[in-house]
Amino acid sequence: MAGIYVHIPFCKSKCRYCDFASFPDKICYAESYMACVFREMSKRKEQLKNYVFETLYIGGGTPSVIDEKYIAMLLASAKKNFNLSKNAEITIEMNPGTVSAGKISAYKKCGINRFSVGLQTAVDSQLADLGRIHNLKDFENCTRLLKGENFSVDIMIGLKNQTVEDIEFSIDTAVKAGASHISVYALTPEDGTPIYTDYLNGELPDGDAVAEMYERGVQKLSSLGFSRYEVSNFCKKGFESRHNLNYWKRGEYIGFGVSASSCINNNRFTNTFDLDEYFKCILSDNFAVINSEQIDEEGRKEEYIMLALRTADGIDLTAYKSEFQTDFEEEYAETLSKLASFFEKQDGRIFIKPEYLYVQNSLIINFFK
């Protein structure tokens, strides 16, 4: 399985927690930027001619902030240059404060069949503190326009002044709006972002409080018929994100645009995070790659373990043996013995027990040499 990712780095304003490549003051360059993305796609056409792409994900930034005609042109360019599966999952990220009936209609016409809506929290005061441009009413208007569509909602935990009741309210709001998929992420205060000051001042919930929020969120979602299939992702049956599953299963993917990452034939490479540099490279008929590495077998094993153990399914022992010609249980017998109380084996799979999935990083690191 293979996927395509396209990064749209524009937004109305930068959220206080945002550490992504996004430029709120440069939306005027959207037309030039998209022309470069189309050119970059064309340059990859020959390299990827034998691939069938099952997913296309348009992320950002805020893809819904640019004119919908550029999104339609993007889909046309992807279909022209690559072999997109007939039933490909095509997703666009949206900020509720940037959508309209016209935009959503245009998205559907050009083939988008999945929408990712950034709610973050249903509490207006917390949205304002995050620097989000939307409020709860905007979210409700957005999801009203999406009625009957396949859409996911993002919710953040660990916010300033947030309570477990706020988490449950946000989840209830998303489910009542019709979401079939919900992602629950813990806020990560990155150094250099405005919200990092809140972290330094002790204004954000501590680790124990965030863990409790997460656990209550898991319980709430379970009671509403949502299954956890990855540490931060929950859905109704059959509504998993195929694009993200491809990442977690170490599938191949190609990224286009500023900061986009790719992994093709065990070669991982990343585009420049600098918008001007991206323009310069593409207009000079070069790629905008700033680093590239061939992943050796040890690296592939570590990635396999790290990604698989984030999921509820865990490690498929037969698939592991097929890929690496070695037995996982024998290779990591000492580690598995030491951590036996945290793991479970069932139906040819080894996975982290549900009650310990939130702390998977502290367990996974034990498998690395």
Side-chain angles (χ1 to χ4, degrees), residues 18-263:
C18 182
D19 193 39
F20 296 119
S22 61
F23 311 103
D25 55 340
K26 296 184 178 179
I27 301 178
C28 57
Y29 294 118
E31 183 174 2
S32 299
Y33 177 80
M34 296 307 294
C36 285
V37 168
F38 305 152
R39 189 164 180 169
E40 186 185 10
M41 284 184 162
S42 179
K43 282 172 61 64
R44 293 282 185 197
K45 180 177 181 178
E46 181 64 23
Q47 175 194 7
L48 302 169
K49 64 182 180 181
N50 295 324
Y51 283 79
V52 176
F53 292 97
E54 298 289 342
T55 68
L56 190 158
Y57 192 101
I58 307 166
T62 307
S64 55
V65 79
I66 64 173
D67 194 295
E68 54 268 35
K69 68 182 179 184
Y70 297 126
I71 302 299
M73 291 165 68
L74 169 59
L75 266 294
S77 180
K79 291 171 183 176
K80 174 185 175 183
N81 289 293
F82 309 116
N83 185 2
L84 267 183
S85 169
K86 286 184 179 179
N87 66 336
E89 174 192 271
I90 304 176
T91 305
I92 187 168
E93 289 181 351
M94 303 193 308
N95 182 303
T98 63
V99 300
S100 66
K103 277 189 177 179
I104 290 174
S105 176
Y107 294 158
K108 289 162 63 178
K109 279 183 182 177
C110 69
I112 290 172
N113 52 29
R114 185 175 183 273
F115 303 84
S116 179
V117 184
L119 170 60
Q120 314 311 349
T121 172
V123 180
D124 281 344
S125 60
Q126 292 166 9
L127 286 169
D129 187 64
L130 290 173
R132 299 290 291 178
I133 63 169
H134 75 276
N135 55 30
L136 178 56
K137 185 177 180 181
D138 293 326
F139 172 78
E140 291 170 341
N141 289 337
C142 173
T143 52
R144 198 173 295 119
L145 294 172
L146 289 173
K147 188 174 181 181
E149 300 297 326
N150 176 17
F151 71 90
S152 173
V153 172
D154 288 348
I155 293 173
M156 294 183 80
I157 60 176
L159 309 183
K160 188 168 149 182
N161 299 321
Q162 192 177 41
T163 65
V164 289
E165 289 75 22
D166 294 334
I167 303 295
E168 293 177 334
F169 174 59
S170 296
I171 290 170
D172 271 329
T173 299
V175 174
K176 287 176 182 176
S180 53
H181 184 287
I182 294 177
S183 298
V184 179
Y185 296 101
L187 170 67
T188 303
E190 301 287 355
D191 192 1
T193 61
I195 212 160
Y196 192 70
T197 303
D198 297 350
Y199 166 70
L200 293 177
N201 291 337
E203 297 176 10
L204 301 179
D206 63 22
D208 289 341
V210 175
E212 183 184 356
M213 290 178 185
Y214 174 80
E215 191 53 42
R216 285 283 286 274
V218 172
Q219 293 169 6
K220 181 69 174 178
L221 283 160
S222 178
S223 73
L224 294 169
F226 284 71
S227 298
R228 177 174 54 180
Y229 68 100
E230 192 269 348
V231 63
S232 299
N233 289 273
F234 307 76
C235 68
K236 291 185 177 178
K237 188 175 182 179
F239 286 93
E240 294 86 356
S241 164
R242 287 161 55 194
H243 187 80
N244 285 340
L245 277 172
N246 184 52
Y247 289 144
W248 299 323
K249 292 181 177 180
R250 286 200 73 251
E252 296 185 278
Y253 53 92
I254 186 73
F256 296 101
V258 169
S259 78
S261 293
S262 305
C263 188

Side-chain angles (χ1 to χ4, degrees), residues 260-273:
S261 293
S262 305
C263 188
I264 298 292
N265 196 25
N266 287 311
N267 181 34
R268 185 180 303 287
F269 48 97
T270 306
N271 281 352
T272 177
F273 285 66

